[in-house]
């Protein structure tokens, strides 16, 4: 981290997350510090100026490089030798212009301008997403993959383009490894019931964290009850931190599944998915990640994370409700048993048996949420245009202000 001292503050943008989480350092215009040079200088591991703290880096589609530094408190960071001479000022964005993109924020509630603080439950929708939904229902309304008329062609092409856009967002080339679902919950249940339940046996272990949302907890309780598998719990510390070792030390030859959030929905804790996934592979266990709270806040790259399944919904990423996606390694998705039958997933039907289509359609029974997929596409395009370093900085300022008010 200390090697970044040679970069002037004019080229360095700091976005500070919640205490106990990640600092995102965005080097806009990565030609200033090429990725290979950055990796060689920083590496991924201990920060020499902050003993016991970790550094990692990630290159975004647009060329920005983000360096993550895990820290416990803002004062620990500002007092670190590697930050001397650097202003803690952060980039700002036009809050009023961004607010204007959300019709819901133009209203007054109880006589005051609406302040919406419930995005962890669901995010408001920008005009770009609302326009995509209006077009889908108003102009391009037809079923997909089932007709050759013009509206059906546009609907089908739009639906599959949305799948490809999700794949790019997740950093994967194979769009057929993306299955549309009703959201994170359905995606995680599909893995639990379609992959784990037919394979787990009595004595097998499912590793779960105490920070898990119900959607990545209850399905595994159901699998354990049905198969005789045992739930093994990973605790969370008093300050909300979960270390990779907390997971790795509980992996055994009986571990079959590691289910974990990427970002906690309660504390915002960023979990060490990549490290845990490497450890899980060493004992031949699968890693299933709940990405619902991660996708609006941190870069997501399936190659970097190394997990086997990753689930998220659109509605916390400014997209429509009722649509989400499950990404899985192709060989693992092929093993998932369909949990619903009929409609789009059918190849042929006879009296005694039916044949199913190939991925991803075999896991997408019935008429899908076509408009939802198009809305998700619009949300991802809109989200990609935002200045994420500025947004993280603004979020940090709000957090600091709220924390000071509570204290």
């Amino acid at each position: 981290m200390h090697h970044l001292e040679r970069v002037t503050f004019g080229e360095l943008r700091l976005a500070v997350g919640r205490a106990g989480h990640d600092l995102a350092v965005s080097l806009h215009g990565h030609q200033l510090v090429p990725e290979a040079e950055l990796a060689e200088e920083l590496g991924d591991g201990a920060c020499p100026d902050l003993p016991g703290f970790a550094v990692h880096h990630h290159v975004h589609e647009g060329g920005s490089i983000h360096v993550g530094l895990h820290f416990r408190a803002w004062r620990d960071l500002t007092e670190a030798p590697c930050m001397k001479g650097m202003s803690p000022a952060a980039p700002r964005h036009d809050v009023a212009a961004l607010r204007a993109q959300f019709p819901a924020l133009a209203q007054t509630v109880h006589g005051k301008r609406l302040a919406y603080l419930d995005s962890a439950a669901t995010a408001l929708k920008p005009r770009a997403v609302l326009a995509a939904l209006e077009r889908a229902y108003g102009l391009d309304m037809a079923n997909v993959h089932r007709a050759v008329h013009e509206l059906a062609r546009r609907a089908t092409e739009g639906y599959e383009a949305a799948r490809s856009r999700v794949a790019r967002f997740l950093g994967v080339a194979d769009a057929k490894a993306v299955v549309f679902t009703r959201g994170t919950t359905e995606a995680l249940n599909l893995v639990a019931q379609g992959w784990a339940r037919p394979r787990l046996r009595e004595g097998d272990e499912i590793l779960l964290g105490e920070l898990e949302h119900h959607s990545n907890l209850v399905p595994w309780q159901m699998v354990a009850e049905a198969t005789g598998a045992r739930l093994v719990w990973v605790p969370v510390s008093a300050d909300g931190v979960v270390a990779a070792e907390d997971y790795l030390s509980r992996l055994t030859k009986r571990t079959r599944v590691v289910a974990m959030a990427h970002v906690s929905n309660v504390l915002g804790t960023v979990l060490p998915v990549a490290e845990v996934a490497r450890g899980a592979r060493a004992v031949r266990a699968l890693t299933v990640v709940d990405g619902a709270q991660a996708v609006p806040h941190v870069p997501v790259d399936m190659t970097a994370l190394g997990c086997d399944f990753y689930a998220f919904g659109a509605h916390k990423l400014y997209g429509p409700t009722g649509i989400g996606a499950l990404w899985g390694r192709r060989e693992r998705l092929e093993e998932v048993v369909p949990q619903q039958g009929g409609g789009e997933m059918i190849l042929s039907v006879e009296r005694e048996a039916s044949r199913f289509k190939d991925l991803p359609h075999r896991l997408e029974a019935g008429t899908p949420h076509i408009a939802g997929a198009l809305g998700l596409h619009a949300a991802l395009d809109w989200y990609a245009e935002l200045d994420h370093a500025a947004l993280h900085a603004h979020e940090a300022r709000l957090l600091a202000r709220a924390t000071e008010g509570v204290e």
Side-chain angles (χ1 to χ4, degrees):
M1 186 70 179
H2 64 295
H3 293 285
L4 292 180
E5 291 180 48
R6 63 185 177 80
V7 182
T8 65
F9 182 70
E11 298 161 355
L12 182 65
R13 290 186 174 184
L14 302 184
V16 183
R18 299 176 178 86
H21 304 295
D22 284 344
L23 163 75
V25 181
S26 179
L27 302 174
H28 289 268
H30 69 285
Q31 70 277 4
L32 299 173
V33 184
E35 180 186 5
E37 181 182 346
L38 183 71
E40 180 180 352
E41 291 188 353
L42 285 178
D44 284 345
C47 175
D49 286 334
L50 289 176
F53 287 49
V55 169
H56 60 272
H57 74 281
H58 176 82
V59 181
H60 289 268
E61 289 182 38
S64 298
I65 298 176
H66 279 73
V67 181
L69 168 66
H70 192 84
F71 67 102
R72 289 182 181 273
W74 171 239
R75 63 178 178 274
D76 294 336
L77 179 67
T78 54
E79 294 172 2
C82 63
M83 301 306 294
K84 287 182 178 178
M86 291 188 182
S87 167
R92 294 179 178 270
H93 66 292
D94 190 336
V95 176
L98 193 58
R99 280 184 62 94
Q101 297 186 48
F102 292 84
L105 292 177
Q107 64 185 304
T108 58
V109 177
H110 303 306
K112 296 183 179 180
R113 187 180 68 167
L114 175 63
Y116 186 80
L117 300 177
D118 201 23
S119 293
T122 197
L124 300 179
K125 315 309 173 193
R127 296 184 188 279
V129 172
L130 299 177
L133 293 173
E134 182 177 9
R135 178 178 178 85
Y137 283 119
L139 299 178
D140 298 337
M141 190 69 262
N143 217 325
V144 294
H145 302 298
R146 302 182 191 185
V148 295
H149 60 80
E150 176 62 15
L151 297 189
R153 181 190 66 79
R154 294 195 323 231
T156 300
E157 289 179 357
Y159 184 73
E160 292 304 327
R163 192 190 309 276
S164 297
R165 184 66 183 89
V166 171
R168 293 198 306 275
F169 175 70
L170 296 175
V172 298
D174 185 7
K176 292 183 178 179
V178 174
V179 176
F180 283 126
T181 65
R182 289 186 298 133
T184 309
T185 300
E186 183 176 65
L188 294 170
N189 274 273
L190 178 59
V191 176
Q193 298 297 324
W195 188 90
R197 184 169 178 171
R199 288 170 174 76
L200 269 59
R201 300 290 182 266
E202 186 173 356
D204 288 339
E205 295 178 349
I206 303 169
L207 196 56
L208 285 169
E210 291 182 347
L211 280 177
E212 294 310 310
H213 186 279
H214 294 165
S215 294
N216 203 25
L217 189 162
V218 176
W220 303 109
Q221 290 178 332
M222 296 168 68
V223 168
E225 183 177 357
T227 63
R230 187 171 74 95
L231 301 179
V232 177
W233 294 95
V234 177
V236 58
S237 67
D239 58 357
V241 174
V242 180
E245 183 58 28
D246 295 330
Y247 280 88
L248 300 179
S249 63
R250 289 168 173 80
L251 289 171
T252 73
K253 62 181 181 180
R254 289 184 174 275
T255 306
R256 298 295 306 279
V257 173
V258 179
M260 63 188 305
H262 191 174
V263 173
S264 167
N265 71 301
V266 176
L267 301 176
T269 303
V270 181
L271 277 73
V273 173
E275 293 179 70
V276 174
R278 284 195 295 271
R281 284 196 300 275
V283 297
R284 298 185 178 181
L286 265 63
T287 308
V288 183
V289 180
D290 171 1
Q293 298 292 348
V295 289
H297 296 288
V298 300
V300 288
D301 185 298
M302 297 304 100
T303 301
L305 291 178
C307 57
D308 296 282
F309 292 102
Y310 194 95
F312 76 94
H315 71 103
K316 295 177 184 179
L317 188 57
Y318 310 101
T321 57
I323 185 74
L326 170 69
W327 171 84
R329 294 185 183 278
R330 187 64 177 267
E331 64 272 21
R332 295 292 171 249
L333 274 180
E334 295 283 3
E335 296 172 345
V336 175
V337 178
Q339 297 300 294
Q340 295 180 320
E344 183 55 34
M345 54 92 70
I346 294 296
L347 183 63
S348 66
V349 176
E350 299 179 4
R351 290 186 175 183
E352 302 301 327
S354 300
R355 291 191 300 153
F356 305 148
K357 291 181 178 178
D358 293 332
L359 289 173
H361 305 297
R362 66 191 300 269
L363 298 177
E364 296 178 352
T367 297
H369 189 359
I370 303 164
L374 301 181
L376 172 56
H377 191 164
L380 291 174
D381 285 346
W382 177 84
Y383 179 76
E385 294 299 317
L386 300 177
D387 184 338
H388 295 281
L391 290 175
H392 282 300
H394 182 70
E395 183 182 46
R397 288 192 293 271
L398 291 177
L399 175 65
R401 181 175 177 181
T403 302
E404 290 172 4
V406 171
E407 293 177 346

